[in-house]
Amino acid sequence: VDPVHIPVWGLYVTTPEVSDEKATVHASVELLNASASDQVATLEITLLDPSGMEVARAEKELALATGEEIQADFDMSLENPVIWDIEHPDLYTCMAGLKIGRKQVQKTSSTFGLRNFQWTANDGFHLNGRRVQLYGVNLHHDQGPLGAAFFPRAMERQLEIMQEMGVNALRTSHNACAPEVLELCDRMGIIVFNELFDKYG
């Protein structure tokens, strides 16, 4: 990467407000200036809807001292958003483009869904305003005889088999899963309990 760059996992997207009429998308981007001089960078955020059409764009010019790492925050509104659901797992894409002068030095992206969820004391789990019965499995990170190396298609096939059995929720027991597992679940409409380690008392 260029000395001025977005670090690994430096783009983080949240959706603090979601309704059928409007949604707010918050994008946080880390920037690092590892060069030997002060720099001025232009950071552009673009949101694409599930069909790939641009629906929002924002830009900031940022000054970074040598060795400095900063966080830039963007808030964008979407009218009549497409809602993510287990029955129609539609995903938006947030693209971050970094320019130094007129030269684009980096581009990274993250997919995300717009949805509301709630745990209720008397009625269980609610997704987008309706009760959803979770049918889940504990799924370890390995692929049987394939071992612990990650093969995206093997995991996708495993999740397809789970869905054919009626599964709509996954607990990643008990190791940090590959990022592709979360991406597959987002794309396939599976709720995830992202467990990092055993939580025994």
Side-chain angles (χ1 to χ4, degrees):
V1 294
D2 193 89
V4 181
H5 63 275
I6 302 167
V8 176
W9 301 309
L11 170 61
Y12 187 69
V13 181
T14 55
T15 55
E17 295 179 30
V18 177
S19 71
D20 290 335
E21 295 78 33
K22 187 177 179 181
T24 301
V25 177
H26 180 82
S28 294
V29 186
E30 295 175 17
L31 281 182
L32 174 63
N33 179 10
S35 72
S37 61
D38 297 348
Q39 299 284 340
V40 175
T42 302
L43 185 61
E44 184 179 73
I45 296 293
T46 306
L47 298 184
L48 306 178
D49 71 10
S51 69
M53 291 186 60
E54 181 181 316
V55 289
R57 182 187 293 259
E59 184 177 284
K60 286 185 179 180
E61 191 173 90
L62 304 159
L64 295 95
T66 179
E68 184 179 20
E69 185 170 4
I70 65 171
Q71 178 177 302
D73 294 300
F74 297 80
D75 286 295
M76 289 163 281
S77 294
L78 300 175
E79 301 295 329
N80 302 312
V82 180
I83 303 299
W84 183 98
D85 199 280
I86 55 175
E87 296 170 357
H88 44 84
D90 298 299
L91 295 173
Y92 283 76
T93 302
C94 178
M95 303 183 69
L98 178 63
K99 292 181 182 178
I100 305 297
R102 294 187 177 184
K103 180 186 176 186
Q104 182 163 291
V105 296
Q106 189 177 5
K107 203 167 198 177
T108 188
S109 66
S110 179
T111 56
F112 64 97
L114 295 168
R115 80 289 179 271
N116 273 313
F117 69 90
Q118 181 184 19
W119 290 101
T120 66
N122 299 319
D123 201 30
F125 180 73
H126 284 231
L127 177 66
N128 301 321
R130 78 182 195 286
R131 186 183 187 280
V132 173
Q133 180 65 48
L134 297 177
Y135 299 100
V137 292
N138 296 337
L139 204 58
H140 284 244
H141 69 288
D142 61 329
Q143 291 288 327
L146 296 179
F150 187 76
F151 298 95
R153 177 55 194 143
M155 176 56 71
E156 184 179 34
R157 177 180 176 273
Q158 192 173 38
L159 292 174
E160 288 169 351
I161 294 170
M162 296 290 113
Q163 284 186 309
E164 288 173 6
M165 294 168 54
V167 166
N168 62 9
L170 168 71
R171 172 186 170 222
T172 60
S173 53
H174 316 277
N175 298 276
C177 64
E180 292 88 350
V181 174
L182 302 179
E183 292 168 5
L184 283 167
C185 289
D186 285 348
R187 182 165 54 81
M188 298 173 71
I190 298 173
I191 305 290
V192 180
F193 296 82
N194 192 9
E195 182 178 275
L196 180 59
F197 46 76
D198 284 326
K199 299 177 181 68
Y200 300 127

